[in-house]
Amino acid sequence: MSTAPRLEAAKRDWGDDETNCTVLHIDMDAFYASLETARHPELRGRPVIIGWLGSRSVVSAANYEARKYGVNSAMPMARAKQLCPGGAFVPVDMTYYRTMSKRIFTEVFQQVTDQIEQVSVDEGYMDVSGALLLWKSPRAIGAWVRQQVARRYGITCSVGVASNKLVAKLASTNAKPDGMLMIPEARQAQFVQMMPLRAIPGIGPSLGKRLDAWGIKTVADLAQMDETALFQATRSHITAHHLFLASRGLDPRPVEPHAPEKSIGAEVTFEQDTRDMTQVRELLHHCCNEVSSTLRAKSLVARTVTVKLRFADLSYSTKSHTLEQPMDTTTVMYPESVSLLRSMLKIPANASDSTPLPREIRLAGVSASSLSDRAATPVQLSFDDMFTGGDGVDKHKSGNSRRGQPDGHPGNRSDARQQSGNHTDSTGAGTRHDDHADTGAGTNTGSQSGNHPSKRISDSQRKSVFSTPIGQSERQPQRQKRDSAPDVSQPDAARSPQDALRKAESALDAVHGKFGKHAAGLGIEHDQWKARQVAGNSHLDPRR
């Protein structure tokens, strides 16, 4: 469901020249609510509001009847009930919505072309240049898609037709609900420049304020600026170039049928605002588990960890840390998240968990970005990894001392100390993130005692350990002294700590997949936290 601003004046006939108009943007109309109405006909004509029914829940979707009462997505459910007390409040059923989305893309869109870029569960782009030999007209394709979606599934969609993705998306937004709008290539600049500034993707509250300070209030004003002036206003060459092109109706991005994921995240709203550090850490650990499990399921690794906090006044703050090594385990992600949390709230490293947080937290979440395929991602082992076995114990130290434990984590996290890198953070009152460089020091991950003895490494050894794909063994197996089978009772010295931890968490994934997420845990258990949350957030129930 698009919440972008719309202009009634834009919903008109812009001409019949279809030359180069080969990009279609298809957007389902009030997708969740429309699907619920289609499978529950008794809801037809009534305001339908989709969302969890807890006191802190927000509206996930609302149909057009509900919007007449002022109900919109992301609005607190309590407020929606005040505005529309006679509405039908329906819990979210993401399994059903995803199933229907897959059917629509497969049974309708793919009958036209395989050049489809799905950007969410309810919208996508189509490049129909290869289909025009059969279909002749892009508008004929759009009309057929709309007819098939309505006939097969009982819901409606809106279609934008243009020569690029930006204009096609703006066209579908202004065609809503249940319409189609084609913008000829020669009139794209005119169409875009009549839009409000917030219609341009990437312009949120923070950037909007910066542009307003420069006297830029409309897209037409934006089009009068050159790139140099836009850079001075935005302080970003990338953003300045994007705005320069967008204000002229230009967009060089192709339709990408297999567009890679940019980030994977999880966030949860507390049932009550809290200043309890332990509760926030428990929730971050839960989110790290969700994110790392998804990374492993998709055979991805990430290098950037981001923590998001929303405060009681609905303002938010985010802070990111880019690691030197890729990761896909909670063991690495969680201590990084705790470190970011402390940095965001300016909590001293030596402060105990009983110390009240300086601000009440409404929501917390974790996301991982800078994603890459795990099997194809090289990893550079640290010297510590080269001198330790799979259990994280330094074989060259005396005694059985373990590595230092990262801040905020209960247990030995033998690979967490590998990471140091770049921080970014942002704050705001809206939903956009205003990222900027953070000058803080890298993550504190513990200390070690003792010194490693000097050891010379040959060129062949250096090549073998510094460029090993992360999906393969990160050490060369030790040569067996005899032809007999290895003693399995001994630690596997050929396995790095990261490999061992990944194997442990992957085994836990398998247990969760078979018996449910309540069956086992690794690290901090969250039984009390889950009990506190489940009552108002049924999607957190581990038995589901």
Side-chain angles (χ1 to χ4, degrees), residues 42 74 102 122 149 177 184 257 301 304 317 350 362 394 398 422 436 468 472 529 535:
E42 67 274 15
K102 185 176 181 180
D122 63 350
V149 169
V301 289
T304 300
S317 177
N350 59 353
R362 176 186 178 89
D394 191 333
S398 60
N422 302 317
H436 59 277
T468 306
Q472 301 176 10
W529 174 76

Side-chain angles (χ1 to χ4, degrees), residues 358-369:
R359 300 182 66 180
E360 288 192 329
I361 307 299
R362 176 186 178 89
L363 170 150
V366 178
S367 64
S369 55

Side-chain angles (χ1 to χ4, degrees), residues 83-308:
L83 293 173
C84 188
F89 291 83
V90 182
V92 179
D93 187 351
M94 282 307 302
T95 300
Y96 175 63
Y97 307 150
R98 291 192 182 103
T99 298
M100 295 304 297
S101 172
K102 185 176 181 180
R103 286 187 59 188
I104 292 169
F105 274 79
T106 302
E107 298 172 5
V108 179
F109 298 176
Q110 289 185 13
Q111 303 310 305
V112 177
T113 179
D114 60 355
Q115 298 302 297
I116 302 168
E117 179 183 337
Q118 183 170 356
V119 295
S120 72
V121 73
D122 63 350
E123 66 174 306
Y125 295 96
M126 298 171 63
D127 180 349
V128 299
S129 55
L132 291 180
L133 184 63
L134 175 64
W135 289 86
K136 309 301 182 185
S137 163
R139 282 186 292 185
I141 295 174
W144 182 83
V145 167
R146 292 176 58 218
Q147 182 264 336
Q148 289 294 308
V149 169
R151 183 179 68 83
R152 296 187 187 202
Y153 314 107
I155 63 176
T156 63
C157 65
S158 298
V159 178
V161 184
S163 69
N164 63 59
K165 291 165 68 173
L166 169 68
V167 180
K169 181 171 176 61
L170 291 176
S172 71
T173 297
N174 285 277
K176 284 182 169 292
D178 191 20
M180 180 168 66
L181 193 60
M182 189 196 76
I183 311 300
E185 187 176 29
R187 305 197 68 183
Q188 289 179 169
Q190 178 188 354
F191 171 72
V192 170
Q193 288 169 18
M194 71 183 295
M195 295 292 152
L197 202 58
R198 290 287 299 275
I200 301 297
I203 299 182
S206 179
L207 182 55
K209 288 180 181 178
R210 291 187 195 175
L211 295 174
D212 184 71
W214 282 69
I216 303 171
K217 302 182 183 300
T218 66
V219 179
D221 294 336
L222 198 64
Q224 301 301 313
M225 307 283 286
D226 59 27
E227 274 197 66
T228 301
L230 287 174
F231 169 71
Q232 293 174 339
T234 63
R235 291 171 270 173
S236 166
H237 287 292
I238 295 175
T239 301
H241 184 63
H242 163 67
L243 296 180
F244 179 82
L245 294 178
S247 66
R248 291 157 176 78
L250 304 175
D251 183 2
R253 297 173 301 157
V255 173
E256 297 182 273
H258 304 289
E261 289 189 90
K262 295 182 179 179
S263 66
I264 294 173
E267 60 185 41
V268 178
T269 300
F270 284 105
E271 195 59 15
Q272 293 182 344
D273 297 342
T274 182
R275 290 177 181 265
D276 189 323
M277 177 66 162
T278 300
Q279 285 192 36
V280 177
R281 278 181 44 196
E282 287 177 353
L283 189 147
L284 290 180
H285 192 274
H286 165 80
C287 292
C288 287
N289 278 336
E290 295 292 314
V291 173
S292 63
S293 178
T294 303
L295 286 171
R296 292 190 296 274
K298 297 186 176 185
S299 298
L300 296 172
V301 289
R303 291 191 63 241
T304 300
V305 179
T306 301
V307 169
K308 174 183 177 181

Side-chain angles (χ1 to χ4, degrees), residues 319-339:
K319 194 173 185 66
S320 301
H321 181 205
T322 297
L323 314 176
E324 289 185 352
Q325 300 283 21
M327 55 82 194
D328 61 356
T329 61
T330 299
T331 311
V332 176
M333 194 180 304
Y334 172 69
E336 292 294 337
S337 301
V338 172
S339 178

